Amino acid sequence: MKIKKAVFPVAGLGTRFIPATKAMAKEMLPVVDKPLIQYAVEEAFEAGIEQIIFVTGRGKKALEDHFDRSFEIERTLKAKGKNDLLKQIQELVPRTGTIIYTRQNEPLGLGHAIWCARDIVGDEPFAVLLADDLIKTDKPVLSEMVKKFDRMRASMVAVMEVDKEQTDKYGIINAQDVEEDIVRIDDMIEKPDPSEAPSNLAIIGRYILTPKIFDYLGRKQKGAGGEIQLTDAMKSLLKEQPIYGYKFHGTRFDCGDKAGFQMANLAFALERPDLRDKLLDFIKTL
Ligand code: G1P
């Protein structure tokens, strides 16, 4: 079965970026000139996703507007002959009906946010993308995972090695190598203290999940931080179905963190021919 739907949990308050996020969705923070959410949505479409499901909350209207037409801007750009920009903003609007919005009306955690999409996802495997995890790579991570899913027909998460002292920021897996870049997961734990972490292989925000996960999410058991954790539901799913880890190639930026977000801006800006030299000259002066 083809992966057609992708869930984007975007209800978080973005408290780490206050005051920037006081009145603005954190997913709208730009890396260079594109909001974080757009990178993730583009990655999903590139992987063949046909339907985007945003699990939103209060104060996220800008997300809806971003993926909708803006006649005012279009008219102005047309009048000024700025056709490149006009094309860009027109192309960013998906066909009507491609994006579905639902709400997470209580901040009960990532697992709960995904559960909120259960009726829209229905009985088919689906993807989850966390827009905070921005990955710079030649091989877009979700596309690679979809290809591997086509062959392996099992749930899969993106994983990477992190510093041993950082395990309490991630879902951490214990796994065995099965083939190049793929491990089979035997256990996982959300945000373990470094002294309890089974490894330093961390889950990064790209998932392909079978609909069976909703049975476990529906139990609404609270885990790390008192939240309903996706990792805990996957750990339970492991007793019934295999879950694989995909060791992606590339650099992951934690854009939910101020330093990670600035690094992402720098790395993506340095790739841009129109910005690179100016930035490098400036950096030399620092
Ligand atoms: C979430 C997941 C965690 C994962 C991380 C990746 O945590 O719960 O398992 O490792 O995303 O970014 P959060 O960053 O939302 O606390």
Side-chain angles (χ1 to χ4, degrees), residues 184-196:
R184 186 178 166 138
I185 301 177
D186 334 291
D187 198 7
M188 58 177 83
I189 170 167
E190 182 68 11
K191 303 198 169 75
D193 187 85
S195 62
E196 280 158 25

Side-chain angles (χ1 to χ4, degrees), residues 11-29 58-62:
L13 291 176
T15 44
R16 280 196 269 175
F17 278 89
I18 282 175
T21 50
K22 182 169 174 255
M24 188 183 80
K26 65 169 176 162
E27 297 79 12
M28 290 302 295
L29 289 170
R58 293 170 73 82
K60 300 284 180 165
K61 192 171 169 292

Side-chain angles (χ1 to χ4, degrees), residues 6-280:
V7 178
F8 291 73
V10 289
L13 291 176
T15 44
R16 280 196 269 175
F17 278 89
I18 282 175
T21 50
K22 182 169 174 255
M24 188 183 80
K26 65 169 176 162
E27 297 79 12
M28 290 302 295
L29 289 170
V31 169
V32 189
D33 50 11
K34 220 195 284 187
L36 271 172
I37 189 67
Q38 197 182 326
Y39 287 92
V41 165
E42 285 173 357
E43 182 180 334
F45 282 136
E46 201 172 335
I49 296 295
E50 293 168 15
Q51 191 150 62
I52 302 285
I53 302 161
F54 281 149
V55 182
T56 69
R58 293 170 73 82
K60 300 284 180 165
K61 192 171 169 292
L63 284 173
E64 296 188 27
D65 288 342
H66 185 70
F67 292 102
D68 196 3
R69 292 191 68 179
S70 166
F71 294 105
E72 201 181 355
I73 298 179
E74 286 182 35
R75 204 181 323 116
T76 309
L77 291 175
K78 205 179 273 172
K80 291 189 172 166
K82 297 194 170 171
N83 295 327
D84 284 357
L85 283 179
L86 179 64
K87 194 165 164 260
Q88 241 187 66
I89 64 156
Q90 284 172 338
E91 279 175 0
L92 122 84
V93 180
R95 199 170 47 80
T96 307
T98 306
I99 304 190
I100 295 182
Y101 298 89
T102 187
R103 284 247 188 165
Q104 179 186 26
N105 42 26
E106 283 178 282
L108 298 181
L110 174 61
H112 177 253
I114 305 304
W115 178 81
C116 291
R118 68 202 178 283
D119 288 339
I120 309 172
V121 170
D123 193 23
E124 57 185 277
F126 63 103
V128 173
L129 293 95
L130 308 186
D132 277 359
D133 283 328
L134 181 57
I135 302 166
K136 202 159 146 309
T137 173
D138 298 335
K139 288 183 170 179
V141 176
L142 193 66
S143 298
E144 291 302 302
M145 288 171 66
V146 164
K147 275 187 227 155
K148 294 186 195 303
F149 175 86
D150 284 345
R151 184 163 51 86
M152 305 176 85
R153 319 305 286 168
S155 297
M156 188 174 291
V157 297
V159 295
M160 72 172 211
E161 288 186 16
V162 296
D163 287 344
K164 189 78 191 171
E165 311 81 70
Q166 304 268 310
T167 57
D168 58 359
K169 288 189 175 164
Y170 300 94
I172 300 290
I173 64 166
N174 189 27
Q176 314 302 324
D177 288 338
V178 286
E179 59 181 71
E180 205 187 340
D181 303 332
I182 295 284
V183 294
R184 186 178 166 138
I185 301 177
D186 334 291
D187 198 7
M188 58 177 83
I189 170 167
E190 182 68 11
K191 303 198 169 75
D193 187 85
S195 62
E196 280 158 25
S199 78
N200 66 338
L201 265 186
I203 299 172
I204 299 304
R206 302 291 182 277
Y207 307 74
I208 290 179
L209 297 166
T210 59
K212 190 82 199 156
I213 195 74
F214 292 121
D215 293 353
Y216 294 103
L217 291 172
R219 295 183 187 173
K220 302 201 178 157
Q221 275 161 3
K222 291 190 175 162
E227 297 189 341
I228 299 169
Q229 296 289 355
L230 181 56
T231 304
D232 294 342
M234 291 193 296
K235 182 184 165 81
S236 303
L237 181 64
L238 268 178
K239 291 183 203 128
E240 272 185 80
Q241 295 181 357
I243 305 181
Y244 292 95
Y246 166 54
K247 292 180 172 175
F248 62 91
H249 297 264
T251 311
R252 171 261 185 178
F253 297 94
D254 177 5
C255 291
D257 167 81
K258 283 179 201 166
F261 177 71
Q262 299 305 333
M263 288 176 209
N265 267 287
L266 194 55
F268 279 75
L270 287 173
E271 294 255 295
R272 292 265 296 255
D274 55 331
L275 302 176
R276 186 179 171 82
D277 291 345
K278 281 183 213 156
L279 277 173
L280 285 176

